[in-house]
């Protein structure tokens, strides 16, 4: 039985019970002075009792009306805890909705009553429901005729085991493949359940809308951190009881209890948001693969720019790759549909993706933000009544405010970072610790009143564009409408949806935003996308930076020309000081395979993932020295372990932003050619780390398969 709030690797605790409880049962148990939620992990009393000192304690009660969690669910949690080096209790309880822990038994009973009432009415096993889902699946008025590429992918998925990697261009109709496969599954088995994951909460409403339209809202529930706790409990119970046939969610949904799970879809599988960045640092994508294997459920990963891990898994024959290279409605698409397909057409086929326009910023006047040709192209769009999207991955007005007379800069007193200038409310805000105050009237250091913004964020870019486009003309002669979409503009509940609706309705001519706007959205009127400042990732010390940049730019390009009628003149603009970088050559041809080949060759040389395996040991302390001392001592400990010769331990280094909220951060990279050997090493190492009781160390953590290094 796991216990909450302890992060050590301690195993389950034992309790006495008069009742014979099935493993997976939810119970209430005393822990110290409190009573907490527990899960019966195993019932082999003898063995369990030997393990724990608290075996004299009795269970306080059983959570009535909630079926035990399945063996598969417990195996998944057990695997996740082991693989990501966390305690079972921590992972198990984090995987359950918070209210399951917090509600009093009487409150819980009421919730259950409410949850089961509508649920019984739609329990899939009942005949009228069976009829509903079959009817829904075999005509359904709201489903579309599949393209040849979609039909071939769906056919393949139906007949094979997978896991599958759906390598589909942006706009090739991947969502329709998910809908179709889920529909076929639900029609074939009246109990079957499907889990569909997206990387970001922002993208869930759109996916919800498609699934509600296809399956009816009663069969679909969502699970993500943007929901209230009562909503989460309700969704969780519906899935756990089998009433909800489809769960849509973000990474946390990978742990949803689904007794009849038969399919898992991971959309935009390359997206870094699938990796949890605190607590148990799990990858929901990787756990989806494991869970699929465990439950015999088909796993479908989808992306236009797959992670190099998944790409390699295809090359090694572990996953099956399904290609959908053409956009719905493109010339390639219609030729392939048989309209005019012949050998000659084959030579002129294009996938319908926008053309890349690279601007060499070395040839532009100094301090140019938007080059003249890019500006002209945007004006052209405005004159035609089309939309443009300009993105810059930095919110706020300017990343730094500086004094022109002395050395003062808007440093955060608590972090090794600058506070960002937000002009809208004249504040200086730290994006790392949240510390904020008003912009000073004069330099706090020398009293000079001439303090000025340095660099630019989306707020300033919006302002700049408004100046540059002041005289541009819309088709009816009216002024240009510019809107901004980033974490600031969408902070209020519902703001994102209403802003998206404005864009869809054509009420915006130029949309400025952070990478938030580049993902997933099915914009129909955008014919130009521009990345104004993308260079920094080219020379990052993180070996995954090029992979992320390529994915970002391809995703962004994917927002342009989604309406087939406009695809031919849609463009992706990139301003760069390094236009000859090989990344852009591959991007120009939309050639992900070429990019992957080049990146993988480099990684193989260096023994980097997916050719080697990594973990990080991270330490937070009051001083950088203390953090690094802990890591050095841990490294010395490691030398004594069996198998230590198989792993490489690198010297400790401070994190990129080494101090956040007055905490100094350091990390140490661990590499190994074998995943299994790395796992064995980490398990042997952990007790030694726990045994260190350095007072100056606030916390430490192991990150397995880290994404940000
Ligand atoms: P992706 O996720 O691959 O970028 P989407 O799933 O957003 O692409 O599909 C792009 C657009 O094509 C959407 O507007 C979708 O409704 C439309 N679409 C998808 N499949 C079909 C089809 N078979 N026939 C007509 N339109 C389709
Ligand atoms: Zn000054
Ligand atoms: Zn700060």
């Amino acid at each position: 039985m796991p216990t909450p709030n302890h992060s050590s690797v301690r195993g389950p605790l034992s309790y006495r019970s008069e009742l014979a409880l099935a493993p997976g049962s939810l119970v209430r148990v005393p822990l110290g002075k409190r009573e907490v939620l527990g899960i019966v992990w195993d019932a082999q009393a003898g063995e369990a009792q030997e393990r724990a000192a608290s075996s004299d304690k009795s269970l306080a009660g059983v959570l009535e009306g909630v079926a035990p969690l399945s063996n598969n669910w417990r195996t998944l949690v057990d695997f996740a805890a082991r693989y990501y080096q966390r305690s079972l209790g921590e992972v198990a309880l984090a995987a359950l909705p918070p209210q399951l822990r917090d509600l009093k038994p009487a409150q819980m009973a009421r919730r259950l009553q409410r949850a089961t009432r509508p649920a019984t009415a739609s329990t899939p096993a009942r005949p009228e429901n069976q009829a509903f889902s079959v009817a829904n699946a075999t005509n359904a008025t709201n489903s579309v005729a599949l393209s040849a590429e979609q039909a071939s992918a769906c056919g393949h998925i139906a007949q094979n085991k997978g896991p599958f990697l759906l390598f589909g261009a942006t706009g090739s109709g991947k969502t329709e493949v998910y809908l179709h496969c889920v529909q076929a599954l639900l029609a074939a088995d009246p109990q079957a359940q499907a889990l569909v994951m997206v990387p970001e909460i922002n993208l869930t409403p759109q996916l919800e809308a498609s699934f509600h339209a296809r399956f009816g809202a009663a069969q679909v529930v969502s699970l993500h951190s943007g929901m209230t706790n009562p909503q989460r409990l309700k969704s969780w119970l519906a899935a756990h009881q089998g009433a909800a046939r489809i769960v849509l969610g973000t990474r946390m949904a990978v742990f949803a209890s689904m007794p009849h799970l038969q399919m898992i879809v991971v959309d935009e599988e390359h997206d870094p948001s699938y990796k949890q960045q605190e607590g148990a640092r799990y990858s929901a994508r990787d756990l989806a693969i494991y869970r699929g294997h465990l439950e015999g459920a088909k796993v479908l990963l989808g992306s236009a720019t797959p992670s190099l891990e998944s790409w390699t898994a295809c090359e090694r024959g572990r996953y099956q790759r399904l290609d959908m290279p053409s956009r719905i409605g493109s010339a390639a698409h219609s030729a392939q549909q048989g309209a005019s397909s012949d050998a000659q057409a084959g030579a002129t086929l294009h996938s319908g993706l926008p053309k890349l326009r690279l601007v060499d910023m070395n040839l532009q006047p100094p301090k140019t933000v938007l080059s003249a040709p890019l500006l002209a192209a945007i004006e052209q769009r405005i004159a035609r009544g089309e939309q443009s999207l300009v993105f810059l991955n930095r919110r706020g007005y300017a990343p730094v405010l500086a004094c022109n007379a002395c050395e003062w800069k808007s440093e955060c007193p608590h972090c090794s970072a600058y506070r960002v200038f937000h002009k809208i409310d004249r504040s200086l805000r730290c994006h790392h610790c949240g510390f904020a105050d008003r912009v000073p009237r004069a330099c706090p250091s020398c009293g000079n009143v001439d303090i000025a913004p340095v660099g630019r964020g989306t707020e300033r870019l919006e302002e700049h564009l408004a100046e540059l486009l002041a005289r541009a003309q819309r088709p009816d002669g009216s002024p240009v409408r510019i809107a901004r979409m980033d974490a600031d503009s969408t902070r209020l509940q519902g703001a994102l949806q209403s802003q998206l609706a404005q864009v869809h309705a054509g009420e915006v001519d130029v949309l400025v935003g952070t990478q938030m706007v580049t993902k997933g959205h099915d914009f129909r009127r955008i014919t130009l996308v521009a990345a104004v400042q993308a260079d920094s990732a080219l020379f990052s010390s993180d070996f995954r930076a090029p992979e992320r940049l390529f994915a970002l730019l391809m995703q962004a390009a994917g927002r342009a020309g989604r309406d087939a009628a406009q695809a031919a003149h849609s463009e992706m603009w990139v301003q760069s000081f390094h236009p000859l970088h090989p990344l852009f050559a591959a991007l120009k041809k939309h050639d992900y395979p070429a990019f992957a080949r080049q990146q993988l060759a480099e990684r193989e040389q260096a023994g980097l993932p997916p050719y080697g395996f990594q973990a990080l040991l991270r330490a937070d302390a009051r001083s950088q020295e203390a953090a690094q001392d802990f890591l050095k001592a841990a490294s010395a400990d490691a030398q004594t372990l069996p198998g230590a010769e198989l792993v490489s331990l690198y010297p400790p280094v401070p994190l990129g932003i080494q101090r956040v909220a007055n905490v100094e951060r350091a990390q140490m990279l661990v590499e190994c050619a074998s995943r299994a050997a790395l796992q064995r090493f980490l398990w042997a190492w952990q007790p030694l780390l726990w045994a260190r009781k350095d007072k100056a160390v606030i916390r430490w953590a192991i990150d397995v398969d880290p994404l940000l290094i």
Side-chain angles (χ1 to χ4, degrees):
M1 200 169 313
T3 60
N5 300 336
H6 73 89
S7 44
S8 76
V9 283
R10 274 185 288 157
L13 301 175
S14 295
Y15 292 86
R16 268 188 292 111
S17 166
E18 308 289 303
L19 306 165
L21 290 172
S25 300
L26 289 161
V27 292
R28 309 201 144 270
V29 295
L31 185 75
K33 288 194 169 48
R34 296 175 306 147
E35 200 179 286
V36 299
L37 179 74
I39 303 166
V40 177
W41 210 255
D42 53 43
Q44 298 128 346
E47 189 204 327
Q49 256 154 30
E50 267 171 47
R51 266 193 269 149
S54 54
S55 55
D56 53 323
K57 285 192 182 155
S58 296
L59 280 183
V62 180
L63 228 69
E64 301 285 350
V66 185
L69 293 154
S70 68
N71 278 342
N72 281 344
W73 188 87
R74 283 177 294 118
T75 308
L76 171 71
V77 164
D78 189 57
F79 172 81
R82 278 173 205 279
Y83 188 79
Y84 294 104
Q85 310 285 319
R86 307 297 293 194
S87 81
L88 187 56
E90 183 196 12
V91 177
L93 291 184
L96 296 174
Q99 284 202 328
L100 215 47
R101 272 174 291 182
D102 303 339
L103 288 186
K104 303 222 158 48
Q107 292 173 308
M108 190 64 206
R110 278 200 296 278
R111 255 346 126 67
L112 275 167
Q113 250 180 352
R114 243 181 283 157
T116 30
R117 234 181 287 130
T120 348
S122 63
T123 294
R126 287 175 57 141
E128 62 267 32
N129 258 290
Q130 218 165 320
F132 168 73
S133 44
V134 171
N136 201 17
T138 46
N139 61 341
T141 48
N142 47 9
S143 84
V144 292
L146 296 181
S147 74
E149 286 176 6
Q150 285 171 330
S152 146
C154 291
H156 201 91
I157 293 164
Q159 279 151 29
N160 293 274
K161 245 180 90 205
F164 308 96
L165 175 65
L166 184 63
F167 174 46
T170 53
S172 61
K174 292 186 284 295
T175 313
E176 187 55 46
V177 172
Y178 308 150
L179 287 163
H180 189 91
C181 292
V182 170
Q183 203 168 353
L185 173 79
L186 299 200
D189 176 342
Q191 286 204 312
Q193 293 179 301
L195 168 64
V196 182
M197 290 195 285
V198 283
E200 297 217 13
I201 296 177
N202 293 341
L203 298 175
T204 51
Q206 187 184 316
L207 194 72
E208 265 167 32
S210 323
F211 275 81
H212 285 182
R214 188 66 55 91
F215 299 96
Q219 310 228 61
V220 186
V221 295
S222 299
L223 270 180
H224 55 75
S225 59
M227 297 163 68
T228 63
N229 284 346
Q231 285 171 334
R232 255 171 82 177
L233 178 64
K234 194 168 172 230
S235 291
W236 187 88
L237 284 171
H240 178 62
Q241 290 163 334
R245 316 264 328 258
I246 302 168
V247 172
L248 303 179
T250 50
R251 60 172 179 260
M252 65 156 70
V254 78
F255 289 112
S257 166
M258 302 177 72
H260 306 290
L261 182 63
Q262 293 196 16
M263 177 170 281
I264 308 177
V265 174
V266 185
D267 190 25
E268 311 290 4
E269 65 90 28
H270 64 278
D271 199 292
S273 320
Y274 282 118
K275 183 81 158 65
Q276 167 84 18
Q277 292 294 352
E278 55 196 31
R281 292 160 188 256
Y282 63 87
S283 156
R285 192 239 354 257
D286 295 351
L287 286 181
I289 295 288
Y290 175 82
R291 188 170 186 183
H293 178 71
L294 184 71
E295 313 232 20
K298 289 191 184 185
V299 180
L300 175 55
L301 310 178
S303 177
T305 49
S307 64
L308 291 174
E309 282 79 3
S310 300
W311 189 258
T312 308
C314 289
E315 295 194 331
R316 292 176 181 164
R318 290 202 295 119
Y319 302 171
Q320 300 178 35
R321 204 179 94 193
L322 310 171
D323 292 358
M324 299 206 302
S326 17
R327 277 189 154 181
I328 295 287
S330 67
H333 169 82
S334 25
Q336 174 217 89
Q337 294 295 74
S340 65
S341 95
D342 60 41
Q344 252 182 342
T348 54
L349 289 187
H350 70 87
S351 58
L353 290 166
K355 274 190 262 330
L356 181 74
R357 302 267 185 227
L358 261 177
V359 182
D360 184 346
M361 292 305 276
N362 299 296
L363 307 179
Q364 298 295 318
K367 295 195 174 171
T368 300
V369 179
L370 289 155
S371 59
L374 170 57
L375 204 62
I378 294 177
E379 281 169 351
Q380 225 176 51
R381 273 23 187 222
I382 294 169
R384 287 203 296 254
E386 297 167 9
Q387 295 175 323
S388 302
L389 187 164
V390 182
F391 79 94
L392 171 64
N393 223 7
R394 192 188 275 153
R395 64 193 170 85
Y397 188 83
V400 191
L401 207 59
C403 172
N404 285 325
C406 77
E407 300 280 283
W408 182 84
K409 286 195 173 76
S410 56
E411 269 162 29
C412 175
H414 310 295
C415 307
S416 51
Y418 294 116
R419 278 179 299 158
V420 175
F421 173 39
H422 290 255
K423 194 174 176 184
I424 282 187
D425 57 2
R426 299 205 59 81
S427 66
L428 286 177
R429 285 189 235 155
C430 175
H431 289 185
H432 302 282
C433 73
F435 178 76
D437 59 11
R438 286 185 60 77
V439 171
R441 274 179 207 290
C443 170
S445 166
C446 76
N448 169 31
V449 289
D450 191 15
I451 47 178
V454 181
R456 72 193 60 240
T458 44
E459 250 186 56
R460 194 175 191 183
L461 183 61
E462 180 189 17
E463 186 182 276
H464 191 58
L465 268 164
E467 284 161 17
L468 292 172
L469 297 173
R471 266 172 304 172
Q473 297 264 324
R474 301 190 53 245
D476 63 3
S478 60
V480 178
R481 301 153 310 174
I482 301 175
R484 174 170 56 88
M485 224 161 93
D486 54 29
D488 297 313
S489 77
T490 57
R491 188 152 288 144
L492 295 177
Q493 182 95 43
L496 177 76
Q497 295 321 311
S498 70
Q499 287 183 19
L500 282 173
Q502 275 190 331
V503 180
H504 288 300
E507 290 160 16
V508 169
D509 302 305
V510 181
L511 179 63
V512 178
T514 51
Q515 75 178 43
M516 175 193 276
V517 296
T518 64
K519 291 185 185 178
H521 304 289
D522 192 19
F523 297 124
R524 309 304 294 183
R525 299 165 192 256
I526 289 180
T527 59
L528 180 147
V529 172
V532 295
Q533 226 174 66
D535 277 350
S536 58
L538 291 176
F539 305 99
S540 162
S541 62
D542 185 340
F543 71 91
R544 281 196 178 86
E547 180 184 355
R548 279 197 296 270
L549 177 63
F550 193 87
L552 173 69
L553 295 177
M554 284 281 274
Q555 280 292 317
R559 296 319 107 207
R562 294 177 76 83
D563 184 336
Q566 300 183 327
H569 64 269
S570 67
E571 295 173 341
M572 166 81 196
W573 286 70
V574 178
Q575 302 193 137
S576 172
F577 286 96
H578 309 276
L580 297 179
H581 196 283
L583 186 146
F584 295 125
L587 189 70
K588 208 170 191 125
K589 289 187 264 174
H590 304 288
D591 194 349
Y592 179 78
F595 173 74
R597 219 176 298 127
Q598 175 259 329
Q599 285 288 307
L600 286 169
E602 280 180 20
R603 293 209 194 163
E604 187 166 20
Q605 281 260 314
L608 290 167
Y611 301 97
F613 299 90
Q614 295 182 327
L616 287 174
L617 178 61
R618 310 174 53 142
D620 289 354
R622 285 289 161 223
S623 73
Q624 183 61 219
E625 197 188 1
Q628 296 203 16
D629 283 350
F630 172 84
L631 297 176
K632 280 181 204 147
S635 181
D637 284 349
Q639 309 308 324
T640 65
L641 295 173
E645 69 286 357
L646 298 176
V647 300
S648 319
L649 291 156
Y650 287 77
V653 290
L655 260 69
I657 293 167
Q658 74 174 60
R659 187 167 51 99
V660 167
N662 299 318
V663 171
E664 287 283 342
R665 316 184 302 168
Q667 67 184 25
M668 181 165 75
L669 180 64
V670 184
E671 269 182 6
C672 183
S674 144
R675 195 193 289 273
L678 179 60
Q679 281 283 315
R680 278 194 300 275
F681 169 79
L682 293 174
W683 266 108
W685 201 21
Q686 270 216 62
L688 305 185
L689 301 176
W690 282 112
R692 305 215 139 266
K693 298 265 185 265
D694 312 25
K695 285 228 166 54
V697 174
I698 301 164
R699 61 183 93 84
W700 56 267
I702 294 175
D703 186 350
V704 182
D705 302 332
L707 270 194
L708 301 166
I709 294 186

